[in-house]
Every structure is written in C-alpha cells, then in structure tokens.
Amino acid sequence: KHTEPMLSLDNAFSHDEVREFDERVKRFLKTGKEIEYTVEPKYDGLAMELTYRNGILYKASTRGDGYEGEDVTVNIKTIKAVPMKIEGEEVPEEIDIRGEVYIDIKEFEALNRERAKEGESPFANPRNAAAGSIRQLDSSITSKRKLYLACYGIGFTKGIEFTSQWEFITWLKKARFPVPALIKLVRGIDEVIDVIKEIEEKRGAFSFEADGAVIKVNDFELQKALGIKTREPRWAAAYKFKAHQAITNINDIIASVGRTGAITPVAFLEPVRIGGVTVS
Ligand code: IVH
C-alpha cells in the first residue's frame, strides 16, 4: 500500500492547452503573478516507488491502481541505477522516492528482434518492455536487461522536508539519485513552452523514449493550495508529443511459428527512418 497515493497526470495536446493549464493555475491561486515551474521529459516507462528506511532501500513497488502496487523489490535491486542506500549528510528516517524505470531504446529494439525470432509477439512500446522486465519471476532475467531510473517525485517522508520540487531534485542529485535529463526550473508559461520545444527537438537524441514533457508547479505550498482533483493534481500537466509517423511499403508478410506453436504474422517493411531509428 502506498502511504501517499501515486497520482496520474492531466494531458495537454497543444501549446495552447499548456497555456490553459497555466491560466487555470493562476485563476485557482487568484494571482496574476508568473508561476515558477519545473519542466522535464515524460519517460515512457514504469512508475516506481522506492521506500528508504534510515537510508537503506527497504521496498520497491509499482504504481498499481495508485493506492496499492506490486512488490518488486527483488527485481528492482538488480538495476544498477537504483541506489541501495542514500548517500550524503541529509539521510531521513523514511522517504518514498518516485521515478520511472525505463529501458534503453536500443535494448528495446534488440529485445523485440529476439522475440520475433522466438515467435513471440513484440512489445508494443518501451513501457511494456520495462514492465515485462520488472515483472519477471526470475530476477536474473531482469538483471540482464538494460534498465535505468529517473527520479522525479516524492511521497511520504519522515525526518526531512522540502519546500519545492527544485529543492527536492537538488537533494536527489546530492544523494546520488538519477534525475530526468534536461530538467529545468523556469518562470512563466513562455519559458515553459521554450523548454517543451527544446525537449521535443532533442527527443531523437535521447537514449530513452520520451512521449512528452511534464510541467510541475515548483513551490510545494502552492502545490498544496492547488490540491488534487480525483486522481490528477491541479499543479501538474503532461504535454504529449505527437506520435512519430512515417510512410513506407510492406514488402512481405510471413507467418512466424514460435516454440509453443503460436503463429505471429511479421511484416517486412521497406526500411524507413523514424524518430532517430530505422524501422524495417
Ligand atoms: S510526475 C503527480 N514526471 O506519467 C505527478 N510522471 O501520467 C505524477 N511519467 O504514472 C507523476 N515521466 O508513470 C511524472 N517526469 C515525469 C514522468 C512521469 C513519466 C509517468 C508516470 C505517471 C504517468 C502519469
């Protein structure tokens, strides 16, 4: 059971919808002043809660329905990027650190090639590949997959307090936790949109799949004042990128027979460059 629920995010599909989010925030707070926000990539992975007691990793759990997740501690401990203990001077009695476990794009593609060879259906996206790798009953399989972690959120804490998202991120870095690539602290919605554009431009160069950008009100007092709707906080939003698209020809379709006799149709495409990779 998560001590504090793990929430989801409201989506924005255009820059105008991002501006509307900022307007709602200001209206709710009854302020005309520019708001400070953090902006970072939205990772296409699996949300995770890492509970540390007296600085030692005690439990790792999936988001589940937001209130109760699966205990995946044994498998998570095989991921090199996950700190077994909190480094530094400020070690709290207890802290829930939230983040995304994700798979390297190259690893995702290699895994799918292997699955196709075995006649297994490929993972539809890196998120499913990360989830499949974490839910392995055999943790030695998890340990062989190239899985990483980006920490971006906080749940229950005892013995430490933060006043803002940026202060928390700074603490995470000092404590040697990986944080999102390109995370920025900005003021006002114009600067938010500049960072969103930068993330979208650099998206193809990331080693991970980013399906959007996440915008969060920086100040924790303001976050508290804004509160939560049912499952989504009023203080955050996800800007969703348009899916990568390309047009190509299907050269052939074969019926691939797997070990179990399951038949998977496999299409051979005329190779096409998309989102920094070649799809065939
Ligand atoms: S913040 C209230 N930051 O998106 C804040 N989530 O739609 C909730 N996600 O379940 C999460 N990258 O799995 C946050 N940089 C990021 C994220 C991120 C990916 C996922 C996460 C969450 C879902 C919400």
Side-chain angles (χ1 to χ4, degrees):
K1 281 199 170 71
H2 302 299
T3 313
E4 300 272 344
M6 289 179 80
L7 305 168
S8 45
L9 291 167
D10 254 347
N11 290 328
F13 294 98
S14 64
H15 294 172
D16 279 348
E17 285 183 18
V18 173
R19 289 186 187 279
E20 282 164 22
F21 159 71
D22 175 60
E23 276 156 26
R24 279 198 300 278
V25 166
K26 285 180 178 162
R27 214 180 307 131
F28 200 92
L29 296 172
K30 297 191 173 68
T31 180
K33 276 196 221 140
E34 295 290 21
I35 307 286
E36 253 186 5
Y37 293 104
T38 57
V39 190
E40 72 213 40
K42 185 169 192 292
Y43 286 74
D44 187 28
L46 190 67
M48 199 59 59
E49 178 166 84
L50 305 170
T51 302
Y52 290 82
R53 285 198 177 155
N54 297 312
I56 308 293
L57 178 60
Y58 162 76
K59 186 153 284 175
S61 44
T62 62
R63 177 169 175 265
D65 62 3
Y67 300 97
E68 205 173 332
E70 271 177 83
D71 184 334
V72 288
T73 316
V74 174
N75 286 355
I76 287 297
K77 281 186 173 171
T78 69
I79 303 174
K80 279 192 203 78
V82 174
M84 289 302 117
K85 61 189 260 253
I86 298 172
E87 300 285 346
E89 276 136 51
E90 286 176 281
V91 177
E93 209 176 314
E94 187 155 332
I95 188 165
D96 287 340
I97 296 171
R98 275 104 183 248
E100 205 80 357
V101 167
Y102 61 94
I103 195 163
D104 200 86
I105 294 185
K106 286 206 175 85
E107 170 86 351
F108 164 67
E109 287 166 354
L111 209 56
N112 271 350
R113 274 198 297 275
E114 224 173 85
R115 286 173 78 88
K117 246 191 253 161
E118 301 277 317
E120 293 171 64
S121 52
F123 290 116
N125 47 49
R127 195 201 106 79
N128 288 2
S133 306
I134 297 295
R135 293 223 180 84
Q136 289 289 334
L137 289 176
D138 178 356
S139 62
S140 71
I141 297 178
T142 310
S143 75
K144 283 188 198 107
R145 304 260 165 99
K146 283 193 184 119
L147 296 167
Y148 298 91
L149 174 74
C151 297
Y152 51 64
I154 191 170
F156 175 76
T157 62
K158 192 175 176 193
I160 200 162
E161 269 185 56
F162 301 99
T163 61
S164 69
Q165 180 73 14
W166 196 253
E167 189 187 46
F168 170 58
I169 294 288
T170 308
W171 176 86
L172 279 176
K173 285 197 240 172
K174 260 199 223 147
R176 302 223 182 282
F177 281 76
V179 299
L182 262 180
I183 184 166
K184 285 195 181 163
L185 175 66
V186 299
R187 188 180 293 275
I189 206 65
D190 288 337
E191 289 184 22
V192 166
I193 287 170
D194 286 345
V195 181
I196 287 177
K197 284 184 189 156
E198 188 184 344
I199 294 173
E200 192 154 21
E201 272 162 25
K202 293 185 178 157
R203 177 186 183 197
F206 291 151
S207 62
F208 57 90
E209 175 70 14
D211 56 349
V214 182
I215 305 136
K216 296 170 194 167
V217 169
N218 184 43
D219 189 305
F220 282 170
E221 283 284 322
L222 296 185
Q223 286 191 5
K224 218 163 102 191
L226 284 155
I228 299 156
K229 288 187 290 181
T230 330
R231 279 174 169 257
E232 300 91 15
R234 284 194 197 84
W235 46 264
Y239 170 75
K240 296 298 280 283
F241 296 147
K242 282 171 203 68
H244 294 298
Q245 288 188 14
I247 293 176
T248 189
N249 290 314
I250 294 180
N251 291 335
D252 196 9
I253 296 174
I254 61 149
S256 162
V257 183
R259 257 182 301 130
T260 60
I263 296 177
T264 307
V266 178
F268 289 89
L269 310 179
E270 185 58 35
V272 58
R273 293 275 305 167
I274 182 167
V277 299
T278 303
V279 176
S280 59

